[in-house]
Amino acid sequence: MKSRWKWAGVLATLMLGAMLFAPGAFAEGEVSQEMFTINNTWMLVATFLVFIMHLGFATLEVGLTRSKNTVNILFKNTAIVAIGLLTYAAVGFNLMYPGDFSVEMFGGGFFGFAGFGVDPGETGQTIAYADGAYTYWTDFIFQAMFAATAATIISGAVAERIKLGPFLIITTIYVALVYPYLGSWKWGGGWLDTMGFYDFAGSTLVHSVGGWGALAGVIVLGPRLGKYVNGKIKGIAGHNMPLATIGVFLLWLGWFGFNGGSVLSADPNLVSLVFVTTSLAAAAGVIGAMVTSWTVQKKPDLSMILNGS
């Protein structure tokens, strides 16, 4: 019986190989139906990993803050996902990828809007969409997770210094309008793209734009109450370092999808390279933060190496 199953497995492997690597399957400008399925599946897996990052952000943020703010922070990070998905479906996706720009500046598109809601059209669910890399719906959900993730950058920066209501209003405006509009300048084929600007995985469009939003927030709100006393800095320790550590490893895992999915296909060489680069970068961040904090503070600091990764 075992021998029979063994040979059945060998036969299935040979058949799959024949389908994937048959002559003409990877002809120039063409993608086989099997490769289309593989590409789309990888993009969905990457989307799942980006979704997990929201749990990572929530646990990291809770762990590095005081226990009295736990429910507020968990509420924010849960609401971010819901607000992000709904606003991106209603307006954000078509604002970020308008197709044609109605306003031209700087030698390229400056503003465009393809209308409210999401619609795959005639080719959205076929191999003709995105050169056989993924379907319209996969494109939307992957980009929507990016949009929601961008808002978590602001959440972490204003933790313990903003009320829930105002934060939810800021998040709605940011994800619905600010992030997709600025993102259209590059990823939507706008004026930055025309100038040859390059942004892989949102180093500018996600992290920098989120960082500027966070900076604006902390300038308006000021420091946490009790942070500065009599002209001296008073450290405010996180209440749950095991939870913060779990959050960091969830984020590290999620970044394989965030960065690996940004290849926008299941290309084995590029995805593998991105995985290696992501891992080495995080590891270097840990060691760099450890050496720096240990040198300055004269003792090891777990919170610093967590942020370093």
Side-chain angles (χ1 to χ4, degrees):
M1 182 64 69
K2 290 183 178 180
S3 177
R4 184 178 303 172
W5 281 111
K6 176 181 177 181
W7 285 109
V10 171
L11 180 61
T13 301
L14 291 173
M15 291 175 64
L16 178 61
M19 288 189 295
L20 292 180
F21 301 106
F26 292 96
E28 185 176 355
E30 297 180 0
V31 176
S32 68
Q33 186 66 39
E34 292 77 20
M35 197 64 212
F36 169 55
T37 301
I38 292 172
N39 282 334
N40 191 70
T41 300
W42 162 240
M43 291 301 298
L44 288 174
V45 170
T47 302
F48 303 156
L49 291 172
V50 177
F51 178 75
I52 286 294
M53 294 181 75
H54 290 283
L55 177 59
F57 281 120
T59 52
L60 174 62
E61 196 174 327
V62 166
L64 293 180
T65 52
R66 290 167 290 189
S67 59
K68 66 178 183 178
N69 295 303
T70 296
V71 174
N72 174 278
I73 290 171
L74 292 176
F75 196 108
K76 285 193 307 176
N77 281 274
T78 302
I80 283 173
V81 182
I83 292 173
L85 289 172
L86 292 175
T87 57
Y88 202 69
V91 63
F93 190 54
N94 285 336
L95 181 60
M96 195 165 188
Y97 300 98
D100 296 323
F101 286 86
S102 58
V103 180
E104 300 283 333
M105 292 181 67
F106 310 114
F110 185 73
F111 177 81
F113 182 52
F116 296 95
V118 285
D119 180 9
E122 295 182 358
T123 63
Q125 301 183 68
T126 71
I127 199 171
Y129 184 83
D131 296 325
Y134 42 80
T135 68
Y136 175 91
W137 296 117
T138 298
D139 188 14
F140 165 75
I141 196 64
F142 182 68
Q143 297 296 339
M145 288 300 170
F146 264 51
T149 301
T152 62
I153 298 173
I154 300 177
S155 174
V158 301
E160 298 194 303
R161 52 178 121 177
I162 191 172
K163 292 184 178 179
L164 182 62
F167 175 79
L168 297 181
I169 294 173
I170 292 170
T171 297
T172 301
I173 296 172
Y174 177 83
V175 180
L177 302 175
V178 177
Y179 166 75
Y181 170 55
L182 297 178
S184 71
W185 291 354
K186 165 57 188 176
W187 288 345
W191 66 273
L192 280 177
D193 186 58
T194 302
M195 295 176 65
F197 182 77
Y198 183 73
D199 185 5
F200 180 79
S203 297
T204 296
L205 302 184
V206 179
H207 305 292
S208 178
V209 172
W212 289 114
L215 178 60
V218 299
I219 288 174
V220 172
L221 296 170
R224 289 185 286 179
L225 296 178
K227 179 66 176 180
Y228 299 97
V229 181
N230 298 324
K232 295 182 179 179
I233 300 175
K234 181 182 179 182
I236 302 177
H239 85 283
N240 194 324
M241 295 311 293
L243 199 59
T245 304
I246 291 172
V248 164
F249 278 101
L250 285 171
L251 288 171
W252 194 327
L253 171 67
W255 245 292
F256 289 127
F258 198 100
N259 293 347
S262 294
V263 172
L264 301 180
S265 74
D267 185 295
N269 293 323
L270 293 178
V271 173
S272 299
L273 174 61
V274 168
F275 269 48
V276 171
T277 305
T278 299
S279 299
L280 293 179
V286 169
I287 301 303
M290 179 180 68
V291 172
T292 302
S293 62
W294 208 330
T295 301
V296 174
Q297 299 174 325
K298 310 303 180 185
K299 61 180 181 181
D301 187 334
L302 175 60
S303 67
M304 288 295 102
I305 69 168
L306 294 179
N307 277 297
S309 69

